[in-house]
Short mmCIF file of all heavy atoms in Angstrom, two decimals:
data_model
loop_
_atom_site.label_atom_id
_atom_site.label_comp_id
_atom_site.label_asym_id
_atom_site.label_seq_id
_atom_site.Cartn_x
_atom_site.Cartn_y
_atom_site.Cartn_z
N ILE A 1 -62.65 -34.05 -16.05
CA ILE A 1 -61.47 -33.20 -16.18
C ILE A 1 -62.03 -31.78 -16.05
O ILE A 1 -62.73 -31.31 -16.96
CB ILE A 1 -60.74 -33.38 -17.54
CG1 ILE A 1 -60.44 -34.87 -17.81
CG2 ILE A 1 -59.49 -32.53 -17.58
CD1 ILE A 1 -59.47 -35.54 -16.87
N ALA A 2 -61.73 -31.14 -14.95
CA ALA A 2 -62.24 -29.79 -14.72
C ALA A 2 -61.19 -28.76 -15.03
O ALA A 2 -59.98 -29.01 -14.93
CB ALA A 2 -62.67 -29.67 -13.24
N ALA A 3 -61.65 -27.58 -15.47
CA ALA A 3 -60.74 -26.48 -15.83
C ALA A 3 -61.28 -25.18 -15.26
O ALA A 3 -62.49 -25.04 -15.03
CB ALA A 3 -60.61 -26.39 -17.34
N ALA A 4 -60.36 -24.26 -15.05
CA ALA A 4 -60.77 -22.95 -14.50
C ALA A 4 -61.33 -22.07 -15.61
O ALA A 4 -62.14 -21.17 -15.34
CB ALA A 4 -59.58 -22.28 -13.83
N ASP A 5 -60.92 -22.31 -16.87
CA ASP A 5 -61.53 -21.57 -17.97
C ASP A 5 -61.53 -22.42 -19.23
O ASP A 5 -60.87 -23.44 -19.31
CB ASP A 5 -60.83 -20.21 -18.21
CG ASP A 5 -59.35 -20.35 -18.50
OD1 ASP A 5 -58.61 -20.78 -17.58
OD2 ASP A 5 -58.94 -20.05 -19.61
N PHE A 6 -62.33 -21.95 -20.20
CA PHE A 6 -62.59 -22.71 -21.43
C PHE A 6 -61.43 -22.47 -22.42
O PHE A 6 -61.52 -21.66 -23.32
CB PHE A 6 -63.92 -22.23 -22.03
CG PHE A 6 -64.47 -23.15 -23.08
CD1 PHE A 6 -65.31 -24.20 -22.73
CD2 PHE A 6 -64.16 -22.98 -24.42
CE1 PHE A 6 -65.86 -25.04 -23.69
CE2 PHE A 6 -64.70 -23.82 -25.40
CZ PHE A 6 -65.55 -24.86 -25.02
N SER A 7 -60.34 -23.23 -22.23
CA SER A 7 -59.18 -23.01 -23.08
C SER A 7 -58.30 -24.25 -23.09
O SER A 7 -58.24 -25.00 -22.09
CB SER A 7 -58.38 -21.81 -22.57
OG SER A 7 -57.01 -21.92 -22.85
N ASN A 8 -57.60 -24.48 -24.19
CA ASN A 8 -56.69 -25.62 -24.31
C ASN A 8 -55.55 -25.52 -23.31
O ASN A 8 -54.99 -26.52 -22.89
CB ASN A 8 -56.12 -25.67 -25.73
CG ASN A 8 -56.40 -26.99 -26.40
OD1 ASN A 8 -56.68 -27.99 -25.76
ND2 ASN A 8 -56.32 -27.00 -27.72
N GLU A 9 -55.21 -24.27 -22.96
CA GLU A 9 -54.06 -24.04 -22.06
C GLU A 9 -54.48 -23.96 -20.59
O GLU A 9 -53.66 -23.70 -19.72
CB GLU A 9 -53.32 -22.75 -22.44
CG GLU A 9 -52.49 -22.81 -23.72
CD GLU A 9 -53.34 -22.90 -24.98
OE1 GLU A 9 -54.31 -22.11 -25.09
OE2 GLU A 9 -53.06 -23.78 -25.81
N ALA A 10 -55.76 -24.14 -20.33
CA ALA A 10 -56.26 -23.97 -18.95
C ALA A 10 -55.64 -24.97 -17.99
O ALA A 10 -55.27 -26.08 -18.38
CB ALA A 10 -57.78 -24.14 -18.93
N GLU A 11 -55.53 -24.56 -16.73
CA GLU A 11 -55.10 -25.48 -15.67
C GLU A 11 -56.22 -26.51 -15.50
O GLU A 11 -57.40 -26.15 -15.54
CB GLU A 11 -54.90 -24.70 -14.39
CG GLU A 11 -54.34 -25.52 -13.25
CD GLU A 11 -54.37 -24.77 -11.92
OE1 GLU A 11 -54.55 -23.52 -11.90
OE2 GLU A 11 -54.25 -25.44 -10.89
N THR A 12 -55.88 -27.79 -15.33
CA THR A 12 -56.91 -28.82 -15.18
C THR A 12 -56.68 -29.67 -13.94
O THR A 12 -55.58 -29.76 -13.41
CB THR A 12 -56.96 -29.77 -16.40
OG1 THR A 12 -55.70 -30.47 -16.47
CG2 THR A 12 -57.22 -29.03 -17.69
N LYS A 13 -57.74 -30.29 -13.47
CA LYS A 13 -57.62 -31.27 -12.39
C LYS A 13 -58.79 -32.26 -12.50
O LYS A 13 -59.83 -31.96 -13.10
CB LYS A 13 -57.62 -30.59 -11.01
CG LYS A 13 -58.84 -29.73 -10.69
CD LYS A 13 -58.66 -29.07 -9.33
CE LYS A 13 -59.79 -28.11 -9.02
NZ LYS A 13 -59.64 -27.47 -7.70
N ILE A 14 -58.59 -33.45 -11.96
CA ILE A 14 -59.64 -34.48 -11.97
C ILE A 14 -60.49 -34.30 -10.73
O ILE A 14 -59.97 -34.18 -9.61
CB ILE A 14 -59.02 -35.89 -11.99
CG1 ILE A 14 -58.18 -36.10 -13.25
CG2 ILE A 14 -60.12 -36.97 -11.92
CD1 ILE A 14 -57.28 -37.31 -13.22
N GLU A 15 -61.82 -34.23 -10.94
CA GLU A 15 -62.70 -34.06 -9.80
C GLU A 15 -63.89 -35.01 -9.87
O GLU A 15 -64.34 -35.37 -10.98
CB GLU A 15 -63.22 -32.61 -9.72
CG GLU A 15 -62.11 -31.60 -9.42
CD GLU A 15 -62.65 -30.33 -8.76
OE1 GLU A 15 -63.52 -29.69 -9.35
OE2 GLU A 15 -62.16 -30.01 -7.66
N ASP A 16 -64.41 -35.39 -8.70
CA ASP A 16 -65.67 -36.15 -8.63
C ASP A 16 -66.77 -35.29 -9.23
O ASP A 16 -66.87 -34.11 -8.92
CB ASP A 16 -65.95 -36.44 -7.16
CG ASP A 16 -67.23 -37.27 -6.98
OD1 ASP A 16 -68.31 -36.78 -7.39
OD2 ASP A 16 -67.16 -38.37 -6.43
N ILE A 17 -67.61 -35.86 -10.09
CA ILE A 17 -68.61 -35.05 -10.81
C ILE A 17 -69.65 -34.44 -9.85
O ILE A 17 -70.23 -33.40 -10.16
CB ILE A 17 -69.30 -35.85 -11.94
CG1 ILE A 17 -70.01 -34.88 -12.91
CG2 ILE A 17 -70.26 -36.90 -11.38
CD1 ILE A 17 -70.43 -35.47 -14.23
N PHE A 18 -69.84 -35.04 -8.69
CA PHE A 18 -70.80 -34.49 -7.73
C PHE A 18 -70.18 -33.40 -6.85
O PHE A 18 -70.88 -32.74 -6.09
CB PHE A 18 -71.36 -35.61 -6.82
CG PHE A 18 -72.55 -36.31 -7.40
CD1 PHE A 18 -72.40 -37.40 -8.26
CD2 PHE A 18 -73.84 -35.89 -7.12
CE1 PHE A 18 -73.50 -38.04 -8.81
CE2 PHE A 18 -74.96 -36.54 -7.68
CZ PHE A 18 -74.78 -37.61 -8.50
N HIS A 19 -68.86 -33.23 -6.95
CA HIS A 19 -68.17 -32.26 -6.08
C HIS A 19 -67.14 -31.46 -6.89
O HIS A 19 -65.95 -31.55 -6.65
CB HIS A 19 -67.48 -32.97 -4.90
CG HIS A 19 -68.41 -33.76 -4.08
ND1 HIS A 19 -68.56 -35.14 -4.25
CD2 HIS A 19 -69.29 -33.41 -3.10
CE1 HIS A 19 -69.49 -35.58 -3.38
NE2 HIS A 19 -69.95 -34.54 -2.69
N ILE A 20 -67.61 -30.68 -7.86
CA ILE A 20 -66.71 -29.84 -8.66
C ILE A 20 -66.51 -28.51 -7.93
O ILE A 20 -67.45 -27.91 -7.44
CB ILE A 20 -67.28 -29.63 -10.08
CG1 ILE A 20 -67.43 -30.98 -10.80
CG2 ILE A 20 -66.37 -28.69 -10.90
CD1 ILE A 20 -68.12 -30.91 -12.16
N SER A 21 -65.27 -28.08 -7.86
CA SER A 21 -64.92 -26.85 -7.10
C SER A 21 -65.61 -25.63 -7.68
O SER A 21 -65.83 -25.54 -8.90
CB SER A 21 -63.40 -26.61 -7.13
OG SER A 21 -62.73 -27.75 -6.67
N GLU A 22 -65.93 -24.70 -6.80
CA GLU A 22 -66.51 -23.42 -7.24
C GLU A 22 -65.56 -22.75 -8.22
O GLU A 22 -64.35 -22.72 -7.99
CB GLU A 22 -66.76 -22.49 -6.03
CG GLU A 22 -67.97 -22.85 -5.20
CD GLU A 22 -69.24 -22.98 -6.00
OE1 GLU A 22 -69.53 -22.07 -6.80
OE2 GLU A 22 -69.97 -24.00 -5.85
N GLY A 23 -66.12 -22.21 -9.31
CA GLY A 23 -65.30 -21.50 -10.30
C GLY A 23 -64.66 -22.43 -11.33
O GLY A 23 -64.03 -21.96 -12.27
N TRP A 24 -64.81 -23.74 -11.17
CA TRP A 24 -64.26 -24.70 -12.12
C TRP A 24 -65.41 -25.33 -12.91
O TRP A 24 -66.54 -25.38 -12.45
CB TRP A 24 -63.48 -25.80 -11.40
CG TRP A 24 -62.19 -25.28 -10.85
CD1 TRP A 24 -62.04 -24.37 -9.83
CD2 TRP A 24 -60.86 -25.61 -11.29
NE1 TRP A 24 -60.72 -24.11 -9.62
CE2 TRP A 24 -59.96 -24.87 -10.48
CE3 TRP A 24 -60.35 -26.47 -12.26
CZ2 TRP A 24 -58.56 -24.97 -10.64
CZ3 TRP A 24 -58.96 -26.58 -12.39
CH2 TRP A 24 -58.10 -25.81 -11.60
N MET A 25 -65.08 -25.83 -14.12
CA MET A 25 -66.10 -26.45 -14.94
C MET A 25 -65.60 -27.76 -15.53
O MET A 25 -64.41 -27.89 -15.87
CB MET A 25 -66.54 -25.50 -16.07
CG MET A 25 -65.47 -25.16 -17.06
SD MET A 25 -66.00 -23.93 -18.27
CE MET A 25 -65.13 -22.49 -17.70
N GLY A 26 -66.50 -28.74 -15.62
CA GLY A 26 -66.14 -30.02 -16.24
C GLY A 26 -66.20 -29.90 -17.76
O GLY A 26 -67.22 -29.50 -18.31
N LEU A 27 -65.08 -30.26 -18.42
CA LEU A 27 -65.03 -30.14 -19.88
C LEU A 27 -64.75 -31.47 -20.59
O LEU A 27 -64.75 -31.57 -21.80
CB LEU A 27 -63.97 -29.12 -20.30
CG LEU A 27 -64.26 -27.64 -19.90
CD1 LEU A 27 -63.12 -26.74 -20.31
CD2 LEU A 27 -65.57 -27.13 -20.48
N ASP A 28 -64.52 -32.53 -19.78
CA ASP A 28 -64.34 -33.86 -20.34
C ASP A 28 -64.62 -34.85 -19.21
O ASP A 28 -64.60 -34.50 -18.04
CB ASP A 28 -62.91 -34.04 -20.85
CG ASP A 28 -62.74 -35.28 -21.74
OD1 ASP A 28 -63.77 -35.89 -22.11
OD2 ASP A 28 -61.59 -35.63 -22.07
N VAL A 29 -64.89 -36.11 -19.58
CA VAL A 29 -65.05 -37.13 -18.56
C VAL A 29 -63.67 -37.55 -18.06
O VAL A 29 -62.67 -37.44 -18.78
CB VAL A 29 -65.85 -38.35 -19.09
CG1 VAL A 29 -67.29 -37.97 -19.35
CG2 VAL A 29 -65.20 -38.94 -20.34
N GLY A 30 -63.62 -38.04 -16.83
CA GLY A 30 -62.35 -38.43 -16.22
C GLY A 30 -62.02 -39.90 -16.38
O GLY A 30 -62.80 -40.66 -16.97
N PRO A 31 -60.87 -40.34 -15.82
CA PRO A 31 -60.38 -41.72 -16.02
C PRO A 31 -61.31 -42.80 -15.49
O PRO A 31 -61.47 -43.84 -16.11
CB PRO A 31 -59.03 -41.72 -15.30
CG PRO A 31 -58.98 -40.49 -14.45
CD PRO A 31 -59.88 -39.51 -15.10
N GLN A 32 -61.95 -42.57 -14.32
CA GLN A 32 -62.86 -43.57 -13.77
C GLN A 32 -64.07 -43.77 -14.71
O GLN A 32 -64.54 -44.90 -14.92
CB GLN A 32 -63.40 -43.12 -12.40
CG GLN A 32 -62.45 -43.36 -11.25
CD GLN A 32 -63.12 -42.93 -9.95
OE1 GLN A 32 -63.26 -41.74 -9.68
NE2 GLN A 32 -63.58 -43.90 -9.17
#
């Protein structure tokens, strides 16, 4: 679960761990 910033209200998206978008950070593991 990637987010644009370190916050509960941050926008999130699910990303492959090997291909996280620039400027985004993984803050939790995803459904897979």
Side-chain angles (χ1 to χ4, degrees):
I1 308 295
D5 58 294
F6 195 89
S7 151
N8 237 340
E9 287 70 47
E11 185 190 344
T12 63
K13 58 182 175 180
I14 298 167
E15 294 205 303
D16 181 299
I17 197 166
F18 273 88
H19 303 98
I20 299 174
S21 305
E22 284 307 312
W24 289 67
M25 64 185 106
L27 294 178
D28 194 9
V29 292
Q32 280 183 286

